[in-house]
Amino acid sequence: MIWRALVWTWLPRQVLEYYADRTILRQPDRIFIAQVLIPKIVARRPKRVLALGVHYYTQRMQRTIERSGIELFTADPDARKVRWGAKSRHRVCTAAEIKSHFPGATFDVVLLNGVLGYGLDTQEELDRTYRAVAAKMEPGGLLVLGWDDNMFHDPLASGAHMAYFVEDEGLLGKSRMGRLSGLRHEDGRPATKYFDVLRRS
Ligand SMILES: C[S@@+](CC[C@H](N)C(=O)[O-])C[C@H]1O[C@@H](n2cnc3c(N)ncnc32)[C@H](O)[C@@H]1O
């Protein structure tokens, strides 16, 4: 585990991005993010987007957002990930702490992908996160959730989000859960990744 962290902490950016292009970015959920989700977000012309949790394989997505003229902000509690955050707009904090770390800013879109079960592990912390994200959004702002059902089962099941959000059907359409059902990994395994979109009410 430690040597893996050393790899993404020290290896040159280009090497890691080359590696990402040939591995994780070929997975069905990453293709969905790159080819469907991000273009749909960009098409809405948001002013400010906050991406929670960064890594070497989120770089391409972040660049696409920034090159579209959108102000990208990022946050991750792991200080070793700073190199993968948005330049001068990255904060070392959890999703639940964004209110105090981004004073004055509100976000039109918040991306919470691949974080549930990878550090944000409990419903209690997710509830705090819903509250923190809602506090940083005007009505109409979108919270995009992407999660691996093997790691965190259905983040909407508790209903805690309903204090601040309604389910959005505008960005990705109507169906809740299973947006990737039918998609498979290259080796034939079914994808277990789901996406859902909430709109600030
Ligand atoms: C699997 S990685 C990649 C996440 C990335 N957003 C993606 O699209 O794949 C998970 C990241 O989430 C970060 N993380 C863990 N707990 C978090 C929290 N409570 N809030 C925000 N980020 C968190 C970890 O430090 C790690 O860098």
Side-chain angles (χ1 to χ4, degrees):
M1 214 53 191
I2 289 174
W3 72 262
R4 279 178 70 181
L6 278 177
V7 166
W8 53 253
T9 311
W10 294 109
L11 270 187
R13 179 174 287 272
Q14 292 88 336
V15 173
L16 284 164
E17 289 197 32
Y18 179 89
Y19 173 71
D21 282 345
R22 274 145 196 82
T23 53
I24 191 166
L25 295 180
R26 290 188 175 173
Q27 293 180 0
D29 55 306
R30 298 287 161 183
I31 294 171
F32 176 81
I33 289 171
Q35 296 184 0
V36 179
L37 180 62
I38 298 300
K40 280 181 184 284
I41 289 173
V42 166
R44 288 174 65 98
R45 303 197 160 279
K47 244 180 117 185
R48 283 182 295 271
V49 169
L50 171 65
L52 295 163
V54 294
H55 220 318
Y56 63 90
Y57 47 81
T58 62
Q59 295 307 289
R60 289 209 182 283
M61 169 192 90
Q62 289 170 211
R63 265 204 300 277
T64 304
I65 293 172
E66 286 176 316
R67 285 179 182 165
S68 311
I70 297 163
E71 274 184 355
L72 177 71
F73 296 74
T74 55
D76 194 303
D78 184 347
R80 297 169 303 178
K81 304 273 171 55
V82 169
R83 74 182 291 209
W84 306 113
K87 223 172 173 198
S88 78
R89 296 200 182 108
H90 180 79
R91 300 290 180 272
V92 178
C93 69
T94 67
E97 295 168 341
I98 57 171
K99 196 173 167 197
S100 56
H101 284 77
F102 293 99
T106 57
F107 304 110
D108 304 301
V109 179
V110 174
L111 296 171
L112 184 65
N113 177 67
V115 176
L116 301 181
Y118 292 91
L120 199 171
D121 296 335
T122 64
Q123 185 65 49
E124 290 68 34
E125 189 174 359
L126 180 57
D127 294 350
R128 284 200 298 280
T129 297
Y130 284 135
R131 196 173 334 125
V133 171
K136 301 302 288 174
M137 270 181 179
E138 304 288 348
L142 297 181
L143 169 59
V144 180
L145 295 164
W147 73 98
D148 188 333
D149 209 54
N150 291 338
M151 301 297 293
F152 194 109
H153 180 62
D154 195 355
L156 302 194
S158 77
H161 61 284
M162 288 160 66
Y164 319 99
F165 298 99
V166 294
E167 290 209 35
D168 177 79
E169 296 180 356
L171 189 74
L172 291 180
K174 201 166 189 279
S175 81
R176 164 155 151 57
M177 305 277 288
R179 291 192 201 281
L180 291 187
S181 48
L183 289 188
R184 293 189 174 266
H185 291 278
E186 281 175 347
D187 64 6
R189 282 175 299 125
T192 55
K193 196 70 195 285
Y194 297 99
F195 292 89
D196 221 324
V197 187
L198 300 176
R199 193 173 65 251
R200 180 76 170 102
S201 46

PDB file of all heavy atoms in Angstrom, residues 8-35:
ATOM      1  N   TRP A   8       2.248   7.177  -6.830  1.00  0.00           N
ATOM      2  CA  TRP A   8       1.488   8.329  -7.330  1.00  0.00           C
ATOM      3  C   TRP A   8       1.882   9.653  -6.678  1.00  0.00           C
ATOM      4  O   TRP A   8       1.463  10.713  -7.099  1.00  0.00           O
ATOM      5  CB  TRP A   8      -0.024   8.090  -7.317  1.00  0.00           C
ATOM      6  CG  TRP A   8      -0.643   7.638  -6.023  1.00  0.00           C
ATOM      7  CD1 TRP A   8      -1.105   6.396  -5.742  1.00  0.00           C
ATOM      8  CD2 TRP A   8      -0.901   8.430  -4.863  1.00  0.00           C
ATOM      9  NE1 TRP A   8      -1.612   6.340  -4.472  1.00  0.00           N
ATOM     10  CE2 TRP A   8      -1.509   7.580  -3.914  1.00  0.00           C
ATOM     11  CE3 TRP A   8      -0.665   9.760  -4.521  1.00  0.00           C
ATOM     12  CZ2 TRP A   8      -1.887   8.015  -2.651  1.00  0.00           C
ATOM     13  CZ3 TRP A   8      -1.047  10.201  -3.266  1.00  0.00           C
ATOM     14  CH2 TRP A   8      -1.641   9.333  -2.353  1.00  0.00           C
ATOM     15  N   THR A   9       2.737   9.555  -5.637  1.00  0.00           N
ATOM     16  CA  THR A   9       3.223  10.804  -5.041  1.00  0.00           C
ATOM     17  C   THR A   9       4.426  11.346  -5.810  1.00  0.00           C
ATOM     18  O   THR A   9       4.575  12.549  -5.966  1.00  0.00           O
ATOM     19  CB  THR A   9       3.632  10.578  -3.564  1.00  0.00           C
ATOM     20  OG1 THR A   9       2.586   9.894  -2.906  1.00  0.00           O
ATOM     21  CG2 THR A   9       3.870  11.894  -2.858  1.00  0.00           C
ATOM     22  N   TRP A  10       5.282  10.430  -6.312  1.00  0.00           N
ATOM     23  CA  TRP A  10       6.565  10.871  -6.851  1.00  0.00           C
ATOM     24  C   TRP A  10       6.719  10.723  -8.357  1.00  0.00           C
ATOM     25  O   TRP A  10       7.488  11.444  -8.979  1.00  0.00           O
ATOM     26  CB  TRP A  10       7.714  10.116  -6.152  1.00  0.00           C
ATOM     27  CG  TRP A  10       7.796  10.479  -4.708  1.00  0.00           C
ATOM     28  CD1 TRP A  10       7.462   9.687  -3.648  1.00  0.00           C
ATOM     29  CD2 TRP A  10       8.182  11.744  -4.153  1.00  0.00           C
ATOM     30  NE1 TRP A  10       7.628  10.366  -2.469  1.00  0.00           N
ATOM     31  CE2 TRP A  10       8.068  11.638  -2.746  1.00  0.00           C
ATOM     32  CE3 TRP A  10       8.610  12.952  -4.709  1.00  0.00           C
ATOM     33  CZ2 TRP A  10       8.371  12.691  -1.891  1.00  0.00           C
ATOM     34  CZ3 TRP A  10       8.912  14.011  -3.857  1.00  0.00           C
ATOM     35  CH2 TRP A  10       8.795  13.859  -2.471  1.00  0.00           C
ATOM     36  N   LEU A  11       6.025   9.762  -8.962  1.00  0.00           N
ATOM     37  CA  LEU A  11       6.239   9.570 -10.401  1.00  0.00           C
ATOM     38  C   LEU A  11       5.813  10.803 -11.191  1.00  0.00           C
ATOM     39  O   LEU A  11       4.875  11.503 -10.795  1.00  0.00           O
ATOM     40  CB  LEU A  11       5.420   8.373 -10.895  1.00  0.00           C
ATOM     41  CG  LEU A  11       6.086   6.998 -10.849  1.00  0.00           C
ATOM     42  CD1 LEU A  11       5.199   5.980 -11.536  1.00  0.00           C
ATOM     43  CD2 LEU A  11       7.457   7.017 -11.517  1.00  0.00           C
ATOM     44  N   PRO A  12       6.485  11.085 -12.291  1.00  0.00           N
ATOM     45  CA  PRO A  12       6.098  12.254 -13.086  1.00  0.00           C
ATOM     46  C   PRO A  12       4.647  12.157 -13.541  1.00  0.00           C
ATOM     47  O   PRO A  12       4.137  11.075 -13.829  1.00  0.00           O
ATOM     48  CB  PRO A  12       7.042  12.193 -14.287  1.00  0.00           C
ATOM     49  CG  PRO A  12       8.176  11.353 -13.853  1.00  0.00           C
ATOM     50  CD  PRO A  12       7.658  10.402 -12.825  1.00  0.00           C
ATOM     51  N   ARG A  13       4.047  13.303 -13.587  1.00  0.00           N
ATOM     52  CA  ARG A  13       2.642  13.447 -13.976  1.00  0.00           C
ATOM     53  C   ARG A  13       2.328  12.734 -15.296  1.00  0.00           C
ATOM     54  O   ARG A  13       1.345  11.994 -15.394  1.00  0.00           O
ATOM     55  CB  ARG A  13       2.402  14.955 -14.085  1.00  0.00           C
ATOM     56  CG  ARG A  13       1.087  15.436 -14.492  1.00  0.00           C
ATOM     57  CD  ARG A  13       1.091  16.949 -14.382  1.00  0.00           C
ATOM     58  NE  ARG A  13       1.051  17.355 -12.986  1.00  0.00           N
ATOM     59  CZ  ARG A  13      -0.083  17.522 -12.304  1.00  0.00           C
ATOM     60  NH1 ARG A  13      -1.237  17.357 -12.893  1.00  0.00           N
ATOM     61  NH2 ARG A  13      -0.067  17.876 -11.041  1.00  0.00           N
ATOM     62  N   GLN A  14       3.204  12.941 -16.289  1.00  0.00           N
ATOM     63  CA  GLN A  14       2.929  12.365 -17.621  1.00  0.00           C
ATOM     64  C   GLN A  14       2.895  10.844 -17.576  1.00  0.00           C
ATOM     65  O   GLN A  14       2.091  10.217 -18.255  1.00  0.00           O
ATOM     66  CB  GLN A  14       3.996  12.794 -18.644  1.00  0.00           C
ATOM     67  CG  GLN A  14       3.974  14.267 -18.986  1.00  0.00           C
ATOM     68  CD  GLN A  14       4.834  15.079 -18.012  1.00  0.00           C
ATOM     69  OE1 GLN A  14       5.080  14.671 -16.879  1.00  0.00           O
ATOM     70  NE2 GLN A  14       5.278  16.248 -18.455  1.00  0.00           N
ATOM     71  N   VAL A  15       3.775  10.259 -16.759  1.00  0.00           N
ATOM     72  CA  VAL A  15       3.831   8.795 -16.659  1.00  0.00           C
ATOM     73  C   VAL A  15       2.529   8.267 -16.053  1.00  0.00           C
ATOM     74  O   VAL A  15       1.926   7.305 -16.536  1.00  0.00           O
ATOM     75  CB  VAL A  15       5.039   8.364 -15.787  1.00  0.00           C
ATOM     76  CG1 VAL A  15       5.023   6.864 -15.539  1.00  0.00           C
ATOM     77  CG2 VAL A  15       6.333   8.806 -16.438  1.00  0.00           C
ATOM     78  N   LEU A  16       2.088   8.926 -14.994  1.00  0.00           N
ATOM     79  CA  LEU A  16       0.871   8.465 -14.326  1.00  0.00           C
ATOM     80  C   LEU A  16      -0.361   8.660 -15.212  1.00  0.00           C
ATOM     81  O   LEU A  16      -1.267   7.829 -15.224  1.00  0.00           O
ATOM     82  CB  LEU A  16       0.709   9.204 -13.000  1.00  0.00           C
ATOM     83  CG  LEU A  16       1.658   8.684 -11.911  1.00  0.00           C
ATOM     84  CD1 LEU A  16       1.758   9.661 -10.766  1.00  0.00           C
ATOM     85  CD2 LEU A  16       1.221   7.320 -11.413  1.00  0.00           C
ATOM     86  N   GLU A  17      -0.393   9.754 -15.948  1.00  0.00           N
ATOM     87  CA  GLU A  17      -1.551   9.972 -16.824  1.00  0.00           C
ATOM     88  C   GLU A  17      -1.559   8.962 -17.969  1.00  0.00           C
ATOM     89  O   GLU A  17      -2.609   8.480 -18.385  1.00  0.00           O
ATOM     90  CB  GLU A  17      -1.560  11.414 -17.327  1.00  0.00           C
ATOM     91  CG  GLU A  17      -1.916  12.379 -16.200  1.00  0.00           C
ATOM     92  CD  GLU A  17      -2.329  13.747 -16.694  1.00  0.00           C
ATOM     93  OE1 GLU A  17      -2.912  13.849 -17.785  1.00  0.00           O
ATOM     94  OE2 GLU A  17      -2.048  14.722 -15.988  1.00  0.00           O
ATOM     95  N   TYR A  18      -0.375   8.622 -18.474  1.00  0.00           N
ATOM     96  CA  TYR A  18      -0.254   7.591 -19.512  1.00  0.00           C
ATOM     97  C   TYR A  18      -0.786   6.262 -18.972  1.00  0.00           C
ATOM     98  O   TYR A  18      -1.550   5.563 -19.628  1.00  0.00           O
ATOM     99  CB  TYR A  18       1.215   7.466 -19.920  1.00  0.00           C
ATOM    100  CG  TYR A  18       1.496   6.424 -20.974  1.00  0.00           C
ATOM    101  CD1 TYR A  18       1.434   6.737 -22.334  1.00  0.00           C
ATOM    102  CD2 TYR A  18       1.843   5.125 -20.604  1.00  0.00           C
ATOM    103  CE1 TYR A  18       1.696   5.769 -23.291  1.00  0.00           C
ATOM    104  CE2 TYR A  18       2.101   4.158 -21.560  1.00  0.00           C
ATOM    105  CZ  TYR A  18       2.028   4.485 -22.900  1.00  0.00           C
ATOM    106  OH  TYR A  18       2.282   3.527 -23.851  1.00  0.00           O
ATOM    107  N   TYR A  19      -0.383   5.948 -17.733  1.00  0.00           N
ATOM    108  CA  TYR A  19      -0.819   4.706 -17.088  1.00  0.00           C
ATOM    109  C   TYR A  19      -2.354   4.725 -16.889  1.00  0.00           C
ATOM    110  O   TYR A  19      -3.041   3.741 -17.189  1.00  0.00           O
ATOM    111  CB  TYR A  19      -0.096   4.570 -15.747  1.00  0.00           C
ATOM    112  CG  TYR A  19      -0.567   3.425 -14.911  1.00  0.00           C
ATOM    113  CD1 TYR A  19      -0.287   2.110 -15.275  1.00  0.00           C
ATOM    114  CD2 TYR A  19      -1.305   3.651 -13.740  1.00  0.00           C
ATOM    115  CE1 TYR A  19      -0.730   1.046 -14.499  1.00  0.00           C
ATOM    116  CE2 TYR A  19      -1.748   2.590 -12.968  1.00  0.00           C
ATOM    117  CZ  TYR A  19      -1.461   1.298 -13.350  1.00  0.00           C
ATOM    118  OH  TYR A  19      -1.910   0.250 -12.584  1.00  0.00           O
ATOM    119  N   ALA A  20      -2.869   5.864 -16.416  1.00  0.00           N
ATOM    120  CA  ALA A  20      -4.324   5.975 -16.191  1.00  0.00           C
ATOM    121  C   ALA A  20      -5.099   5.755 -17.489  1.00  0.00           C
ATOM    122  O   ALA A  20      -6.123   5.067 -17.519  1.00  0.00           O
ATOM    123  CB  ALA A  20      -4.651   7.352 -15.602  1.00  0.00           C
ATOM    124  N   ASP A  21      -4.573   6.325 -18.575  1.00  0.00           N
ATOM    125  CA  ASP A  21      -5.249   6.190 -19.877  1.00  0.00           C
ATOM    126  C   ASP A  21      -5.391   4.730 -20.291  1.00  0.00           C
ATOM    127  O   ASP A  21      -6.324   4.363 -20.999  1.00  0.00           O
ATOM    128  CB  ASP A  21      -4.453   6.914 -20.964  1.00  0.00           C
ATOM    129  CG  ASP A  21      -4.665   8.412 -20.906  1.00  0.00           C
ATOM    130  OD1 ASP A  21      -5.616   8.851 -20.232  1.00  0.00           O
ATOM    131  OD2 ASP A  21      -3.859   9.136 -21.529  1.00  0.00           O
ATOM    132  N   ARG A  22      -4.447   3.908 -19.867  1.00  0.00           N
ATOM    133  CA  ARG A  22      -4.449   2.504 -20.299  1.00  0.00           C
ATOM    134  C   ARG A  22      -5.049   1.568 -19.269  1.00  0.00           C
ATOM    135  O   ARG A  22      -5.109   0.366 -19.495  1.00  0.00           O
ATOM    136  CB  ARG A  22      -3.005   2.074 -20.642  1.00  0.00           C
ATOM    137  CG  ARG A  22      -2.677   2.435 -22.052  1.00  0.00           C
ATOM    138  CD  ARG A  22      -1.251   2.844 -22.268  1.00  0.00           C
ATOM    139  NE  ARG A  22      -1.141   3.518 -23.559  1.00  0.00           N
ATOM    140  CZ  ARG A  22      -1.430   4.802 -23.755  1.00  0.00           C
ATOM    141  NH1 ARG A  22      -1.851   5.551 -22.756  1.00  0.00           N
ATOM    142  NH2 ARG A  22      -1.333   5.339 -24.954  1.00  0.00           N
ATOM    143  N   THR A  23      -5.460   2.072 -18.130  1.00  0.00           N
ATOM    144  CA  THR A  23      -6.018   1.199 -17.083  1.00  0.00           C
ATOM    145  C   THR A  23      -7.383   1.730 -16.637  1.00  0.00           C
ATOM    146  O   THR A  23      -8.387   1.504 -17.293  1.00  0.00           O
ATOM    147  CB  THR A  23      -5.036   1.104 -15.888  1.00  0.00           C
ATOM    148  OG1 THR A  23      -4.703   2.444 -15.465  1.00  0.00           O
ATOM    149  CG2 THR A  23      -3.772   0.363 -16.293  1.00  0.00           C
ATOM    150  N   ILE A  24      -7.404   2.504 -15.565  1.00  0.00           N
ATOM    151  CA  ILE A  24      -8.669   2.882 -14.933  1.00  0.00           C
ATOM    152  C   ILE A  24      -9.590   3.675 -15.863  1.00  0.00           C
ATOM    153  O   ILE A  24     -10.807   3.516 -15.823  1.00  0.00           O
ATOM    154  CB  ILE A  24      -8.404   3.649 -13.610  1.00  0.00           C
ATOM    155  CG1 ILE A  24      -9.708   3.804 -12.826  1.00  0.00           C
ATOM    156  CG2 ILE A  24      -7.721   4.968 -13.831  1.00  0.00           C
ATOM    157  CD1 ILE A  24      -9.507   4.234 -11.389  1.00  0.00           C
ATOM    158  N   LEU A  25      -8.999   4.497 -16.735  1.00  0.00           N
ATOM    159  CA  LEU A  25      -9.864   5.325 -17.586  1.00  0.00           C
ATOM    160  C   LEU A  25     -10.522   4.505 -18.695  1.00  0.00           C
ATOM    161  O   LEU A  25     -11.334   5.036 -19.453  1.00  0.00           O
ATOM    162  CB  LEU A  25      -9.085   6.516 -18.150  1.00  0.00           C
ATOM    163  CG  LEU A  25      -8.625   7.511 -17.065  1.00  0.00           C
ATOM    164  CD1 LEU A  25      -7.857   8.677 -17.676  1.00  0.00           C
ATOM    165  CD2 LEU A  25      -9.798   8.043 -16.242  1.00  0.00           C
ATOM    166  N   ARG A  26     -10.205   3.215 -18.780  1.00  0.00           N
ATOM    167  CA  ARG A  26     -10.888   2.335 -19.737  1.00  0.00           C
ATOM    168  C   ARG A  26     -12.082   1.624 -19.115  1.00  0.00           C
ATOM    169  O   ARG A  26     -12.757   0.852 -19.777  1.00  0.00           O
ATOM    170  CB  ARG A  26      -9.914   1.289 -20.269  1.00  0.00           C
ATOM    171  CG  ARG A  26      -8.877   1.901 -21.169  1.00  0.00           C
ATOM    172  CD  ARG A  26      -8.048   0.857 -21.837  1.00  0.00           C
ATOM    173  NE  ARG A  26      -7.129   1.475 -22.781  1.00  0.00           N
ATOM    174  CZ  ARG A  26      -6.173   0.819 -23.418  1.00  0.00           C
ATOM    175  NH1 ARG A  26      -6.008  -0.472 -23.220  1.00  0.00           N
ATOM    176  NH2 ARG A  26      -5.388   1.452 -24.262  1.00  0.00           N
ATOM    177  N   GLN A  27     -12.297   1.854 -17.810  1.00  0.00           N
ATOM    178  CA  GLN A  27     -13.425   1.183 -17.157  1.00  0.00           C
ATOM    179  C   GLN A  27     -14.731   1.870 -17.536  1.00  0.00           C
ATOM    180  O   GLN A  27     -14.748   3.072 -17.820  1.00  0.00           O
ATOM    181  CB  GLN A  27     -13.216   1.186 -15.641  1.00  0.00           C
ATOM    182  CG  GLN A  27     -12.033   0.305 -15.253  1.00  0.00           C
ATOM    183  CD  GLN A  27     -11.772   0.272 -13.763  1.00  0.00           C
ATOM    184  OE1 GLN A  27     -12.474   0.901 -12.981  1.00  0.00           O
ATOM    185  NE2 GLN A  27     -10.749  -0.448 -13.376  1.00  0.00           N
ATOM    186  N   PRO A  28     -15.837   1.119 -17.533  1.00  0.00           N
ATOM    187  CA  PRO A  28     -17.091   1.668 -18.060  1.00  0.00           C
ATOM    188  C   PRO A  28     -17.562   2.939 -17.368  1.00  0.00           C
ATOM    189  O   PRO A  28     -18.070   3.853 -18.026  1.00  0.00           O
ATOM    190  CB  PRO A  28     -18.113   0.539 -17.856  1.00  0.00           C
ATOM    191  CG  PRO A  28     -17.396  -0.604 -17.278  1.00  0.00           C
ATOM    192  CD  PRO A  28     -15.948  -0.294 -17.133  1.00  0.00           C
ATOM    193  N   ASP A  29     -17.382   3.008 -16.042  1.00  0.00           N
ATOM    194  CA  ASP A  29     -17.854   4.216 -15.349  1.00  0.00           C
ATOM    195  C   ASP A  29     -16.999   5.423 -15.700  1.00  0.00           C
ATOM    196  O   ASP A  29     -17.492   6.546 -15.799  1.00  0.00           O
ATOM    197  CB  ASP A  29     -17.876   3.999 -13.835  1.00  0.00           C
ATOM    198  CG  ASP A  29     -16.537   3.553 -13.288  1.00  0.00           C
ATOM    199  OD1 ASP A  29     -15.990   2.559 -13.788  1.00  0.00           O
ATOM    200  OD2 ASP A  29     -16.020   4.216 -12.370  1.00  0.00           O
ATOM    201  N   ARG A  30     -15.693   5.201 -15.946  1.00  0.00           N
ATOM    202  CA  ARG A  30     -14.814   6.327 -16.317  1.00  0.00           C
ATOM    203  C   ARG A  30     -15.124   6.789 -17.746  1.00  0.00           C
ATOM    204  O   ARG A  30     -15.038   7.975 -18.051  1.00  0.00           O
ATOM    205  CB  ARG A  30     -13.344   5.901 -16.223  1.00  0.00           C
ATOM    206  CG  ARG A  30     -12.925   5.507 -14.839  1.00  0.00           C
ATOM    207  CD  ARG A  30     -12.802   6.696 -13.915  1.00  0.00           C
ATOM    208  NE  ARG A  30     -12.834   6.269 -12.528  1.00  0.00           N
ATOM    209  CZ  ARG A  30     -12.809   7.101 -11.498  1.00  0.00           C
ATOM    210  NH1 ARG A  30     -12.750   8.407 -11.674  1.00  0.00           N
ATOM    211  NH2 ARG A  30     -12.870   6.651 -10.274  1.00  0.00           N
ATOM    212  N   ILE A  31     -15.480   5.847 -18.591  1.00  0.00           N
ATOM    213  CA  ILE A  31     -15.867   6.224 -19.955  1.00  0.00           C
ATOM    214  C   ILE A  31     -17.175   7.018 -19.902  1.00  0.00           C
ATOM    215  O   ILE A  31     -17.339   8.039 -20.574  1.00  0.00           O
ATOM    216  CB  ILE A  31     -15.990   4.965 -20.837  1.00  0.00           C
ATOM    217  CG1 ILE A  31     -14.604   4.329 -21.007  1.00  0.00           C
ATOM    218  CG2 ILE A  31     -16.609   5.290 -22.194  1.00  0.00           C
ATOM    219  CD1 ILE A  31     -14.606   2.969 -21.660  1.00  0.00           C
ATOM    220  N   PHE A  32     -18.083   6.573 -19.052  1.00  0.00           N
ATOM    221  CA  PHE A  32     -19.345   7.294 -18.874  1.00  0.00           C
ATOM    222  C   PHE A  32     -19.078   8.724 -18.377  1.00  0.00           C
ATOM    223  O   PHE A  32     -19.655   9.689 -18.873  1.00  0.00           O
ATOM    224  CB  PHE A  32     -20.234   6.530 -17.879  1.00  0.00           C
ATOM    225  CG  PHE A  32     -21.520   7.222 -17.547  1.00  0.00           C
ATOM    226  CD1 PHE A  32     -22.611   7.127 -18.407  1.00  0.00           C
ATOM    227  CD2 PHE A  32     -21.654   7.972 -16.382  1.00  0.00           C
ATOM    228  CE1 PHE A  32     -23.806   7.771 -18.106  1.00  0.00           C
ATOM    229  CE2 PHE A  32     -22.834   8.613 -16.073  1.00  0.00           C
ATOM    230  CZ  PHE A  32     -23.916   8.511 -16.935  1.00  0.00           C
ATOM    231  N   ILE A  33     -18.172   8.851 -17.407  1.00  0.00           N
ATOM    232  CA  ILE A  33     -17.845  10.181 -16.874  1.00  0.00           C
ATOM    233  C   ILE A  33     -17.286  11.072 -17.985  1.00  0.00           C
ATOM    234  O   ILE A  33     -17.709  12.219 -18.161  1.00  0.00           O
ATOM    235  CB  ILE A  33     -16.841  10.064 -15.704  1.00  0.00           C
ATOM    236  CG1 ILE A  33     -17.519   9.456 -14.482  1.00  0.00           C
ATOM    237  CG2 ILE A  33     -16.250  11.436 -15.356  1.00  0.00           C
ATOM    238  CD1 ILE A  33     -16.561   9.111 -13.345  1.00  0.00           C
ATOM    239  N   ALA A  34     -16.325  10.525 -18.746  1.00  0.00           N
ATOM    240  CA  ALA A  34     -15.645  11.342 -19.758  1.00  0.00           C
ATOM    241  C   ALA A  34     -16.550  11.664 -20.945  1.00  0.00           C
ATOM    242  O   ALA A  34     -16.508  12.778 -21.470  1.00  0.00           O
ATOM    243  CB  ALA A  34     -14.393  10.609 -20.236  1.00  0.00           C
ATOM    244  N   GLN A  35     -17.349  10.697 -21.352  1.00  0.00           N
ATOM    245  CA  GLN A  35     -18.079  10.876 -22.617  1.00  0.00           C
ATOM    246  C   GLN A  35     -19.519  11.365 -22.439  1.00  0.00           C
ATOM    247  O   GLN A  35     -20.109  11.885 -23.379  1.00  0.00           O
ATOM    248  CB  GLN A  35     -18.071   9.559 -23.397  1.00  0.00           C
ATOM    249  CG  GLN A  35     -16.659   9.163 -23.809  1.00  0.00           C
ATOM    250  CD  GLN A  35     -16.616   7.923 -24.674  1.00  0.00           C
ATOM    251  OE1 GLN A  35     -17.650   7.331 -24.987  1.00  0.00           O
ATOM    252  NE2 GLN A  35     -15.421   7.512 -25.055  1.00  0.00           N
TER     253      GLN A  35
END
